[in-house]
Amino acid sequence: MIHRLLVANRGEIARRVFATCRALGVETVAVHSDADADAPFVADADQAVRLPGNTPAETYLRIELILDAARRAGADAVHPGYGFLAENADFAAAVTDAGLTWVGPPAKAIAAMGDKMAAKALLAEAGVPMLPTWTDADQVTAFPVLVKASAGGGGRGMRVVRDPAGLAEAVASARREAAAAFGDGTVFIERYVERGRHVEVQIFGDTHGTVLALGVRDCSIQRRHQKIVEEAPGVLPPAVRERLHAAAVAAGRAVEYVGAGTVEFLLAPDGEVYFLEMNTRLQVEHPVTEAVTGLDLVRLQLLVAEGEPLPLTGTPPADGHAIEVRLCAEDPAQGFRPATGTLHRFAIPGVAGEFTPLRGLRSDSGVTDGSTVSVHYDSMLAKVVAWAPTRAEAARALAGALARAELHGVATNRDLLVRVLRSREFGAVEIDTGFLERHAEVFAPLLPADQLPLAALAAALASAGGRRSAARVLAGLPSGWRNVPAFPQVTRFAGADGGEVEVRYRLDRAGGLAEWSVERTAGAGAAAATSADRTGVGAGEPGGSAVGDDAPTVALVEAAPDRVVLDVDGVRRVFRVHRVGSAVFVDGPAGAASLVELPRFPLPTAELAAGSLLAPLPGAVTRVHVEVGRRVTAGELLLTLEAMKLEHPVLAPADGVVTELPVPAGGQVETGAVLAVVTTEEDDR
């Protein structure tokens, strides 16, 4: 039996495995990079071993360091998690050669499925349907196509190409990204099916020859080819479900599969099913299968690794419905680029438990309050899962919990997830891998623009309340009180769109709200709203102020440093306010707002040259495609920035001339560093 297990991974998957180990009485060992030294998964383990360095290549991808950590900690088994070395056959072989128990499929099965082209050939012989596939760009005969990494998944190294002109660069870019993520830059090309659904079958095998299908998941909602919403059971006709089960079991038996695995398929609009790949590991979305079957898949992994037979004889029936979302640190204002920073608050209401199968709301998170989101790893903060008797109830519960969550300090994709779950099309199962491309409306923030003034007013009142609560002189005066009440209080904030939000308000001598106004200037989507004599919020033109005929009446009920209650047209609205330094986070009934209070007397700052393109996050410049003096057109690729295991193209914002390229290829940059300057004719005037 396994007594002490080392998890060769990090974040939420390490915490997930540790949770089952605790329940089974198995001791745990974490390995961690320097950047992860204070991460929650390290604290969860019984022992932890440092891997010197920060990047995956320095730490989690080094087999010799992992094995040395197992030896030093006295571990007798290794669980690979997912990502990093989880699908590395050499790692699996090295673990078993070291006399340790490998919690995963045999190295030969990993190798067989790891070479995705060889896997396609092998499984085609077993009768599993395939898409046309090529290994060389010159072989491609029809478009559109999909370039894919051979050694991994998760959307890394994946590109859709719709015409021959873009194929060579897509292949080169995919190879670089795959090499950075998996240590293997091998890619292949297959036909891309429009409006296809991404469905997959959870399989499990044991050393006694059993291979079972545990149900179908639907993972069609994707962005950048990365799954963001997954559910079980997939809503499919029974005949299609049976075909998927049979094909997945055939794939497992073809390689004598042992342990947890996932066989992924593309379901075409005409009902045809095509094999995509087999992931020889536990999948990120395994909790939805656990929720509807009641099985602990990590427990099954450990039992199978110990040589026990599967305690199942067939596919378990699905009970209810489960939906999972991947909550990621991504900045909507920056095109959902990965975001970094300190997570000041991470609170999801209604969570019934973490990391193990349950009914209701489950959270598998790699972070807690105060966690640092690093540039070195992928952007997922947590998986949030809702189980309910029906699909509609699960979607509603999950959307509600996410909408009420307090996520402070790092931008996230929360609003996108909520809008997807609440969309009519998702509810009607009108989904496919192109869902987000067709539904731009789901990218809108939850907080309507006309509700920002109330959130900003709440932020200003809470800030004043905080100053009053800390006062040592005349502490009995109400917040915002002035001896000359004709002059309003003024508080200025920086908004998420880069513009400014100015709040002006005046309290009467009883501490009530006499008048207030909020004006937004500059930045994207600038708008203005104002209130006079408590007439409320009016609709104005950008940069101006106006009072609308239908503006609400607003009264102040309560203003504390962390809570403001406003009466808006006779309806009380509670705003939760959390301040960290100058940052102010407001969570209200209409949505969340992140603001930064600006100093009343700002210090002068250096002015950037017109046309400066800044690094959106820390990373490395991998390629510079132009030179100083070159004339470029809007949208032309200038350079490529690699950060958080993804490549981020930096494009010319307008026609002009490249006048500065301060960072060479290979150079490291921090957020806000100037990457290039493109001067236009207008800038020269």
Side-chain angles (χ1 to χ4, degrees):
M1 296 184 71
I2 295 172
H3 297 286
R4 184 174 296 162
L5 177 77
L6 181 145
V7 176
N9 219 293
R10 63 178 299 278
E12 53 82 26
I13 183 55
R15 301 187 78 192
R16 166 69 189 92
V17 176
F18 293 157
T20 290
C21 286
R22 282 194 297 272
L24 298 178
V26 176
E27 297 178 25
T28 57
V29 180
V31 290
H32 67 86
S33 67
D34 291 334
D36 278 338
D38 297 320
F41 79 92
V42 178
D44 282 359
D46 297 314
Q47 300 184 52
V49 179
R50 172 179 176 253
L51 305 177
N54 287 312
T55 68
E58 295 172 325
T59 55
Y60 300 107
L61 290 174
R62 292 185 60 182
I63 295 174
E64 75 281 5
L65 290 185
I66 302 293
L67 293 179
D68 181 63
R71 178 189 59 77
R72 291 162 60 191
D76 58 358
V78 173
H79 191 299
Y82 42 68
F84 295 137
L85 295 171
E87 294 181 276
N88 186 307
D90 291 339
F91 181 48
V95 169
T96 55
D97 289 346
L100 305 174
T101 298
W102 168 250
V103 184
K108 66 177 184 179
I110 297 175
M113 293 296 101
D115 183 343
K116 289 185 169 58
M117 288 302 297
K120 283 175 174 282
L122 176 65
L123 297 186
E125 293 181 5
V128 180
M130 299 288 162
L131 287 165
T133 306
W134 306 273
T135 56
D136 192 287
D138 295 335
Q139 301 171 337
V140 178
T141 57
F143 288 83
V145 296
L146 187 64
V147 182
K148 300 176 68 174
S150 181
R156 309 285 193 245
M158 194 175 289
R159 306 285 189 276
V160 174
V161 184
R162 299 189 180 278
D163 60 75
L167 185 57
E169 174 56 30
V171 169
S173 176
R175 282 176 175 158
R176 292 192 299 271
E177 192 169 285
F182 312 115
D184 184 343
T186 305
V187 299
F188 64 95
I189 307 162
E190 67 183 16
R191 181 165 68 88
Y192 180 69
V193 176
E194 305 279 4
R195 305 294 292 259
R197 289 172 65 182
H198 187 128
V199 294
E200 62 188 32
V201 179
Q202 176 72 61
I203 67 168
F204 233 103
D206 63 23
T207 56
H208 302 271
T210 300
V211 178
L212 297 176
L214 302 186
V216 179
R217 299 186 286 253
D218 193 317
C219 309
S220 297
I221 306 296
Q222 301 180 5
R223 192 179 52 77
R224 296 180 187 150
H225 312 293
Q226 291 183 294
K227 306 164 188 174
I228 61 171
V229 181
E230 302 107 341
E231 58 182 305
V235 181
L236 302 168
V240 173
R241 189 185 311 279
E242 291 305 315
R243 283 163 51 203
L244 289 167
H245 284 182
V249 169
R253 287 177 175 159
V255 294
E256 299 178 349
Y257 199 77
V258 174
T262 299
V263 187
E264 303 193 352
F265 298 90
L266 188 70
L267 177 60
D270 61 6
E272 290 298 316
V273 171
Y274 300 101
F275 172 81
L276 290 176
E277 63 185 24
M278 182 174 180
N279 292 314
T280 54
R281 53 174 167 80
L282 194 65
Q283 201 83 329
V284 175
E285 56 271 21
H286 75 273
V288 292
T289 297
E290 293 185 322
V292 298
T293 63
L295 298 170
D296 183 330
L297 298 189
V298 174
R299 172 179 173 269
L300 294 186
Q301 284 187 297
L302 298 178
L303 290 177
V304 167
E306 292 174 333
E308 296 293 327
L310 281 170
L312 302 166
T313 57
T315 301
D319 178 20
H321 203 93
I323 304 175
E324 172 185 290
V325 295
R326 302 190 190 190
L327 185 59
C328 298
E330 296 174 338
D331 190 351
Q334 296 289 332
F336 287 88
R337 288 192 177 111
T340 59
T342 301
L343 195 61
H344 300 300
R345 181 170 294 171
F346 185 81
I348 301 174
V351 171
E354 298 180 311
F355 305 113
T356 52
L358 51 81
R359 299 285 182 92
L361 194 68
R362 165 178 168 178
S363 172
D364 286 16
S365 69
V367 296
T368 58
D369 290 358
S371 290
T372 298
V373 180
S374 166
V375 69
H376 301 295
Y377 314 112
D378 72 38
S379 62
M380 190 168 72
L381 302 175
K383 302 177 305 194
V384 189
V385 188
W387 177 95
T390 67
R391 183 175 186 269
E393 289 174 291
R396 181 174 63 187
L398 185 53
L402 290 169
R404 295 191 302 275
E406 296 183 13
L407 309 170
H408 301 167
V410 178
T412 73
N413 64 339
R414 178 259 304 275
D415 290 10
L416 169 63
L417 298 173
V418 172
R419 288 204 178 275
V420 169
L421 293 169
R422 288 177 173 171
S423 67
R424 183 202 65 79
E425 292 80 7
F426 182 82
V429 202
E430 296 173 4
I431 54 177
D432 59 70
T433 57
F435 180 92
L436 294 183
E437 296 174 9
R438 296 192 308 277
H439 295 288
E441 68 276 6
V442 300
F443 290 95
L446 285 180
L447 184 69
D450 63 359
Q451 295 298 307
L452 178 62
L454 289 174
L457 175 62
L461 292 169
S463 294
R467 289 190 292 270
R468 175 50 50 197
S469 66
R472 294 294 177 265
V473 178
L474 299 177
L477 290 179
S479 174
W481 186 90
R482 287 187 173 219
N483 190 43
V484 183
F487 294 95
Q489 296 273 17
V490 180
T491 307
R492 294 168 49 249
F493 299 98
D497 63 359
E500 289 189 9
V501 182
E502 182 178 272
V503 180
R504 292 174 174 264
Y505 68 92
R506 184 172 61 83
L507 302 182
D508 59 28
R509 294 188 181 277
L513 189 62
E515 63 181 53
W516 64 281
S517 67
V518 175
E519 182 174 343
R520 297 182 65 191
T521 58
T530 185
S531 159
D533 298 326
R534 294 187 299 162
T535 55
V537 179
E541 294 301 320
S545 298
V547 178
D549 294 336
D550 58 349
T553 299
V554 179
L556 175 60
V557 178
E558 174 188 342
D562 59 354
R563 173 184 162 94
V564 172
V565 182
L566 300 176
D567 184 302
V568 183
D569 279 342
V571 178
R572 288 197 176 189
R573 300 186 186 181
V574 177
F575 296 85
R576 304 182 305 279
V577 184
H578 177 210
R579 186 182 182 105
V580 181
S582 60
V584 185
F585 306 98
V586 183
D587 294 282
S594 296
L595 303 167
V596 176
E597 186 169 347
L598 300 174
R600 294 182 64 185
F601 306 104
L603 296 173
T605 57
E607 185 173 332
L608 290 172
S612 295
L613 302 176
L614 309 182
L617 66 168
V621 174
T622 54
R623 299 182 71 192
V624 178
H625 302 271
V626 295
E627 61 282 340
V628 172
R630 175 168 166 175
R631 182 167 293 279
V632 295
T633 58
E636 186 171 342
L637 180 63
L638 305 180
L639 52 90
T640 304
L641 180 70
E642 182 184 296
M644 299 183 87
K645 301 200 290 186
L646 290 173
E647 286 195 338
H648 305 275
V650 178
L651 309 177
D655 296 351
V657 176
V658 179
T659 54
E660 292 184 40
L661 287 168
V663 186
Q668 297 285 329
V669 296
E670 295 298 322
T671 300
V674 176
L675 299 174
V677 178
V678 177
T679 302
T680 66
E681 292 183 4
E682 185 175 334
D683 295 331
D684 287 333
R685 293 194 189 113

